[in-house]
Amino acid sequence: MTRYIIQRLIYMLITMFLIATFTFFLMKFLPGTPLTAADKLSEEQQAVVLEKYGLNDPVPVQYFDYMVNLVQGDLGISFQFDNREVTTILMERVGPSIQLGIQAMIIGTILGMLLGLISAIYHNGFLDYGSVFVAVIGKSIPSFVFAGILQYFIGVKLGWFPVALWEGWQYTVLPTVALAIFPIAVAARFMRTEMLEVMGSDYITTARAKGVNKFGVVFKHGVRNALIPLITVLGPLAVSLMTGTLVIENIFAVPGIGEQFVKAVNTNDFPIIMGTTLLLAFLFIFIILVIDLLYGVIDPRIRLAEGE
Amino acid sequence: MKKTNWLLLVLALVLSMFLAACSGGGDEGSSSSGDSGSDSSGDASGDSKQVLNIMDSAEIPTMDASLATDAVAFQFLGSTMDGLYRLGENAQPEPGIAEESEVSDDGMTWTFHLRDAKWSNGDPVTANDFVYAWQRAVNPDTGSEYGPYMMGGVIKNATAISNGEKPVDQLGVEAVDEHTFKVTLEKPIPYFKSLTTFGTFLPLNKKFVEEKGDKYALEADTLLSNGPFKITEWNHGEGWTLKKNEDYWDADNVKLNQINVKVVKDTATGVNLYETGEVDRVNLSAEFVDQYRSSDDFKVEEEPTLFYLKLNQKANDVLGNVKARKAMQMVIDRQSMVDVILNNGSIPADGDIPKNFVKDPESGKDFREVNGELVSYDVDKAKQLWNEAKEELGKDKITLEYLGGDTETAKNLDAYIKDQLEQLDGLTVKVTSVPFKERLQRDTNMNYQIQNAGWGPDYIDPNTFLNMWVTDGANNKTGYSSKEYDQLIEQAGNEYALEPEKRFENFYKAEKMLIQDDAVLVPLYQRARAQLWKPYVKDVQVNPMGPDYSYKHAYIEGK
């Protein structure tokens, strides 16, 4: 087990290195310069400013410098926010995104699982159709449409929650709901399918034959077995929710990282592009590791490494 | 199994610590801004509180005057700082830190007499603060984009210094004494006073800037103000709060106590916030204009920003033909374009100088009024000219490439223009939509045939629009070159620098030549902003350059 984790951590480092390298060179293909007033500057003046950022050096030299700094934990200085450290900007921006992502994930998973369970228990009944309907709606309506509807009816018309901005817990309600609708749908669909399959298995029949009641079977045997595929899907979904959704952040004026990343690409803010990519990549591979380890806990038959 | 659980626990702890650290930052931000939120709603309840709630579409990139390049930065530099002069009514410079100024007979030396004014830390604002700031702006080590651009060719030695050819202390600025600031120019600059209202020319407190070092102007507490307001809270990406600066020399005339600014990018969200009373102003995009046009809150603000088609005369022999270019000018129905496609109050452009931007020095009439409509809409004439051009070129079928923007509005506009241009017999226009910076790059390399471009002024003078088109001008990029045109602009800048009437005569001639005779550009429209303003917000001054708005005299009444 320890060997497996150490091995995975080494793979993580290699993956991060490859991502950093790939992103760095890909970034250099972006058209334009990071200068905001490039159209107004003479070539000499542009060269003077680019020199300040080290962008006049050959690309391999820039790459080497960046990697050396990166190893020392220095992500550099932003181009669009002069002199502000990338680390500071990322830490400021990632907080709201992660907070919204986690809230949406928790609400989405719990509600989705409940819906899925209800569907499975009352298979082909009214409640089953009802929750399938909710899942279909959640999966098919784009989150920005849902966000707009929530904002207008709940925020403007009913005035129950703030329309937008980021000034306290009540400001997180509408964006969380808008974000949660998708995980609700995903969790509900997976839970329903898996539960139906599990419920038809021999060991469930055995359990029922032994006299375990319906709910006992569902919760003691069914849920646990249905969790594996669900976790497989929800893991990457959790990362994508936590790493910021541009549309939701824009609609609810959330100062999150998704919006910042897009702005960085549009302005050729190389250090922010790199910093954000690395942060998101780290979150992603870290969560994949956690999920792999979780498999073993949920179902001890899943072995993590050969010979263990 | 026990070992596995233990390892999982450690991993889970690491993840939760990481997430807690990240969201902790957010919590801090949200709780502190929560305070400002409650401030805003509480304070805004009555007139006496004098709180203005506005939003901006982007975070302030920098509050360092030497590094600022964009509208948001200049807006809040303008609200928190006073330069030698500041823009007053009708875009006329009004005294700021300079009480008065005099210019030498040859127009080369300006002497500014400074008033007693204070920085928000109590230090006096002195002539040395201007010397330091201006030298810093052209110093190549600072990496300023606007410093060399705004000061080059204007202040003595600025270009040489910014290219690293001369030491910084050779810049033509001098503190004669604490209250006297002397500037030596490269040549007489008739609009120099209006230039001093621009953000790049603001003073800086050397002691404070050097003390803060790399951290200068990054947070509310690493900023100094000498203007009407000071930034007291700055939550990056989210918003910022300005409070009245009691140390400001003209504090008695500042009525607002507080301005709360929130970053909101989405227009629909802005409109919803306006509807719920969270903000006092919102910019409308075309789809909202019809909905609110009849509202009392609806206002249209004209901007001196012009949009036009740039035609690359070197890229294609058709575009090198003046008759073909004229035909393209005449075939576009600009009125329908602004009414239907843009629908935001923009007006058709018929020259290279916007409407209500500069006035004739003699008659006081608007430049546009004096020089008249230089392009007209006449499809028949356009077709005739086009056929003549085709005959001269010996071509029947012509395909031209059109470089357009990638936003929704730009795509609609470009489709409309394509449709209009294709009324010319045998012409096919191929539109390529690219992001803004890609367009800039293609412009720099002259890798385009037709492009949709725009320009906003950097100072209030026709020169800011007309000197772009001189031979090899950095932004010309059309291949246009006319000795006569170059001479007109050169003469206006040098020989006639101190003779406003003759100078304007040259500008009138140059504009006619550029648009009417040589048809270098196809003027499209002058941009306007459609907005909703709460009627209780009074006396916000709208500026044609620098900060978009001046809140110095603004107040709330009847809320």
Side-chain angles (χ1 to χ4, degrees):
Chain A
M1 181 68 185
T2 317
R3 207 177 118 212
Y4 174 76
I5 292 184
I6 290 171
Q7 205 178 32
R8 286 292 298 264
L9 289 175
I10 292 169
Y11 286 151
M12 271 173 76
L13 278 179
I14 296 171
T15 315
M16 292 294 286
F17 169 77
L18 290 176
I19 290 172
T21 305
F22 190 62
T23 315
F24 187 91
F25 289 101
L26 208 59
M27 211 168 58
K28 295 291 166 191
F29 286 110
L30 284 173
T33 70
L35 302 176
T36 31
D39 55 333
K40 298 189 168 181
L41 302 185
S42 68
E43 275 170 27
E44 294 85 19
Q45 286 166 359
Q46 289 199 30
V48 168
V49 182
L50 292 178
E51 184 70 40
K52 179 194 165 194
Y53 295 132
L55 294 172
N56 273 353
D57 295 331
V59 175
V61 175
Q62 290 181 37
Y63 170 70
F64 181 75
D65 290 347
Y66 185 84
M67 291 315 252
V68 169
N69 289 334
L70 182 64
V71 170
Q72 294 164 348
D74 179 6
L75 289 171
I77 302 286
S78 161
F79 295 163
Q80 49 174 322
F81 303 107
D82 292 281
N83 288 337
R84 296 204 78 219
E85 284 175 12
V86 173
T87 324
T88 315
I89 295 175
L90 292 185
M91 283 302 128
E92 279 167 357
R93 291 304 193 94
V94 82
S97 294
I98 288 188
Q99 188 185 339
L100 278 188
I102 290 179
Q103 288 180 193
M105 202 59 215
I106 292 172
I107 293 174
T109 315
I110 293 174
L111 285 182
M113 281 173 67
L114 276 177
L115 278 178
L117 277 177
I118 291 170
S119 260
I121 294 170
Y122 301 101
H123 184 45
N124 281 339
F126 176 72
L127 284 172
D128 182 19
Y129 296 137
S131 63
V132 168
F133 177 74
V134 172
V136 170
I137 293 282
K139 188 98 171 115
S140 48
I141 296 184
S143 61
F144 67 90
V145 174
F146 195 63
I149 294 171
L150 280 178
Q151 191 179 60
Y152 185 71
F153 287 103
I154 311 280
V156 180
K157 289 287 162 195
L158 298 171
W160 290 351
F161 289 103
V163 165
L165 305 179
W166 189 252
E167 301 184 344
W169 72 268
Q170 66 275 38
Y171 287 80
T172 69
V173 175
L174 295 186
T176 301
V177 175
L179 269 182
I181 190 77
F182 190 69
I184 288 178
V186 172
R189 286 170 71 232
F190 266 85
M191 202 65 194
R192 180 179 180 274
T193 316
E194 289 305 316
M195 281 303 289
L196 285 177
E197 205 179 308
V198 170
M199 297 296 278
S201 318
D202 292 347
Y203 69 91
I204 296 288
T205 318
T206 313
R208 293 294 297 271
K210 280 179 171 174
V212 182
N213 67 26
K214 193 175 183 183
F215 286 94
V217 170
V218 167
F219 288 101
K220 203 167 174 192
H221 300 285
V223 174
R224 190 170 177 140
N225 285 299
L227 274 179
I228 298 279
L230 186 64
I231 285 174
T232 313
V233 193
L234 290 184
L237 183 62
V239 183
S240 67
L241 285 176
M242 286 193 291
T243 49
T245 317
L246 171 73
V247 179
I248 297 292
E249 285 176 6
N250 271 354
I251 291 180
F252 292 103
V254 176
I257 202 161
E259 178 271 324
Q260 180 55 58
F261 184 60
V262 174
K263 174 95 189 288
V265 174
N266 282 334
T267 52
N268 282 18
D269 191 342
F270 301 144
I272 297 248
I273 299 176
M274 284 300 288
T276 319
T277 311
L278 290 175
L279 176 71
L280 303 193
F282 171 76
L283 272 175
F284 206 84
I285 50 184
F286 188 81
I287 289 201
I288 288 177
L289 172 65
V290 172
I291 288 166
D292 283 353
L293 295 176
L294 270 177
Y295 287 156
V297 176
I298 293 167
D299 187 349
R301 288 171 304 170
I302 299 176
R303 292 279 170 248
L304 295 172
E306 254 176 66
E308 209 176 317
Chain B
M1 186 57 198
K2 272 184 183 172
K3 205 164 141 196
T4 315
N5 283 341
W6 181 80
L7 276 166
L8 274 174
L9 184 69
V10 171
L11 270 175
L13 272 175
V14 171
L15 178 66
S16 59
M17 275 165 66
F18 174 73
L19 295 181
C22 297
S23 50
D27 282 342
E28 264 172 47
S30 57
S31 67
S32 58
S33 61
D35 293 345
S36 84
S38 56
D39 266 349
S40 66
S41 51
D43 284 353
S45 55
D47 297 354
S48 59
K49 302 291 184 186
Q50 294 297 332
V51 178
L52 178 71
N53 294 300
I54 49 175
M55 55 190 205
D56 224 306
S57 60
E59 154 80 333
I60 307 177
T62 179
M63 278 296 285
D64 184 334
S66 312
L67 298 177
T69 45
D70 84 313
V72 187
F74 286 130
Q75 172 59 57
F76 293 98
L77 281 167
S79 302
T80 58
M81 305 266 270
D82 240 13
L84 292 167
Y85 284 82
R86 56 186 300 129
L87 278 183
E89 288 290 314
N90 300 319
Q92 291 306 304
E94 64 178 30
I97 299 298
E99 267 178 317
E100 53 187 22
S101 60
E102 66 235 19
V103 54
S104 62
D105 291 342
D106 62 0
M108 299 283 277
T109 311
W110 285 71
T111 309
F112 298 92
H113 301 282
L114 313 186
R115 69 176 77 247
D116 284 325
K118 268 196 238 169
W119 291 100
S120 46
N121 66 352
D123 288 355
V125 181
T126 68
N128 281 311
D129 295 338
F130 286 94
V131 172
Y132 171 67
W134 294 21
Q135 285 181 346
R136 184 171 179 266
V138 293
N139 188 340
D141 294 341
T142 310
S144 167
E145 291 185 45
Y146 257 56
Y149 173 66
M150 296 300 292
M151 294 183 184
V154 172
I155 314 244
K156 192 178 166 195
N157 294 333
T159 307
I161 295 166
S162 61
N163 289 338
E165 291 153 11
K166 275 190 177 170
V168 166
D169 58 14
Q170 298 282 302
L171 188 70
V173 289
E174 184 192 343
V176 179
D177 59 50
E178 282 222 326
H179 286 89
T180 316
F181 176 56
K182 201 165 95 177
V183 182
T184 312
L185 304 182
E186 285 272 358
K187 59 181 186 184
I189 305 285
Y191 49 87
F192 184 62
K193 202 193 249 186
S194 99
L195 212 52
T196 65
T197 66
F198 197 74
T200 317
F201 294 86
L202 291 167
L204 292 172
N205 182 322
K206 183 179 179 187
K207 192 183 83 192
F208 186 84
V209 174
E210 289 183 347
E211 192 183 289
K212 300 295 174 194
D214 283 349
K215 306 282 173 225
Y216 171 67
L218 296 188
E219 307 293 340
D221 59 1
T222 58
L223 272 171
L224 266 196
S225 152
N226 72 342
F229 302 95
K230 52 187 179 185
I231 292 188
T232 53
E233 199 180 333
W234 186 359
N235 298 311
H236 296 273
E238 192 185 328
W240 48 95
T241 305
L242 284 80
K243 285 201 170 142
K244 180 175 172 177
N245 177 12
E246 298 296 346
D247 292 323
Y248 181 46
W249 67 268
D250 200 15
D252 291 348
N253 287 316
V254 179
K255 292 168 199 150
L256 286 179
N257 286 325
Q258 189 169 325
I259 304 175
N260 298 312
V261 192
K262 298 292 172 199
V263 178
V264 178
K265 291 168 194 293
D266 190 70
T267 307
T269 304
V271 172
N272 286 336
L273 287 169
Y274 184 87
E275 288 284 358
T276 52
E278 294 265 344
V279 293
D280 298 327
R281 178 188 71 214
V282 62
N283 284 342
L284 298 177
S285 50
E287 64 268 28
F288 286 101
V289 169
D290 289 333
Q291 190 183 333
Y292 287 99
R293 197 186 290 282
S294 54
S295 158
D296 289 342
D297 299 5
F298 182 78
K299 302 247 169 1
V300 170
E301 245 168 45
E302 220 172 70
E303 289 180 74
T305 302
L306 271 190
F307 288 83
Y308 42 79
L309 297 183
K310 242 169 134 169
L311 309 174
N312 185 351
Q313 303 181 14
K314 294 274 160 70
N316 189 303
D317 53 355
V318 178
L319 295 172
N321 185 293
V322 69
K323 283 182 181 163
R325 296 199 300 268
K326 281 185 182 175
M328 295 167 92
Q329 280 184 338
M330 286 182 184
V331 80
I332 296 174
D333 181 356
R334 294 166 181 75
Q335 193 62 52
S336 301
M337 183 178 76
V338 296
D339 289 347
V340 181
I341 311 286
L342 294 167
N343 192 28
N344 59 2
S346 295
I347 52 172
D350 40 33
D352 188 47
I353 302 289
K355 222 175 172 182
N356 298 326
F357 174 59
V358 274
K359 290 188 165 39
D360 184 274
E362 205 178 356
S363 66
K365 278 187 183 169
D366 190 61
F367 187 106
R368 200 59 285 127
E369 201 184 328
V370 177
N371 229 22
E373 278 183 31
L374 302 183
V375 285
S376 52
Y377 172 53
D378 186 340
V379 180
D380 293 338
K381 183 83 191 292
K383 285 182 173 171
Q384 182 200 328
L385 282 166
W386 181 251
N387 288 334
E388 286 171 26
K390 281 199 301 187
E391 225 165 87
E392 281 175 19
L393 294 162
K395 287 189 174 180
D396 199 37
K397 296 272 177 226
I398 292 164
T399 303
L400 292 174
E401 285 163 23
Y402 179 108
L403 192 60
D406 64 345
T407 64
E408 212 47 50
T409 315
K411 282 181 184 168
N412 289 340
L413 193 65
D414 296 337
Y416 176 83
I417 294 167
K418 168 188 160 76
D419 188 56
Q420 295 279 297
L421 290 175
E422 286 183 346
Q423 293 177 84
L424 300 170
D425 298 334
L427 175 62
T428 307
V429 177
K430 280 191 178 163
V431 179
T432 312
S433 305
V434 298
F436 180 64
K437 59 186 179 180
E438 169 74 12
R439 188 181 66 68
L440 282 187
Q441 196 169 36
R442 291 207 198 178
D443 179 66
T444 307
N445 302 328
M446 285 183 75
N447 177 20
Y448 76 94
Q449 293 189 350
I450 303 173
Q451 70 165 300
N452 192 338
W455 190 261
D458 291 311
Y459 44 87
I460 301 173
D461 191 84
N463 197 56
T464 188
F465 284 99
L466 292 169
N467 81 347
M468 288 164 70
W469 311 108
V470 296
T471 305
D472 294 331
N475 280 288
N476 182 332
K477 305 293 177 195
T478 59
Y480 175 62
S481 169
S482 158
K483 276 190 185 152
E484 202 184 335
Y485 186 84
D486 295 351
Q487 202 194 347
L488 284 170
I489 299 297
E490 207 267 333
Q491 214 173 23
N494 294 307
E495 201 181 327
Y496 295 157
L498 300 175
E499 297 173 80
E501 287 90 7
K502 283 190 178 170
R503 203 169 159 263
F504 265 63
E505 271 314 312
N506 272 31
F507 286 138
Y508 293 135
K509 276 188 213 162
E511 198 202 27
K512 277 191 172 142
M513 205 171 153
L514 181 80
I515 305 294
Q516 212 166 33
D517 304 341
D518 296 338
V520 179
L521 311 168
V522 178
L524 294 174
Y525 64 96
Q526 180 176 345
R527 188 167 68 185
R529 272 190 291 251
Q531 296 180 316
L532 297 177
W533 273 99
K534 293 285 184 193
Y536 51 73
V537 182
K538 316 275 185 195
D539 280 5
V540 174
Q541 181 189 302
V542 184
N543 300 318
M545 58 159 266
D548 289 335
Y549 304 97
S550 174
Y551 301 113
K552 181 177 167 180
H553 301 290
Y555 62 99
I556 307 286
E557 190 182 77
K559 184 171 179 180

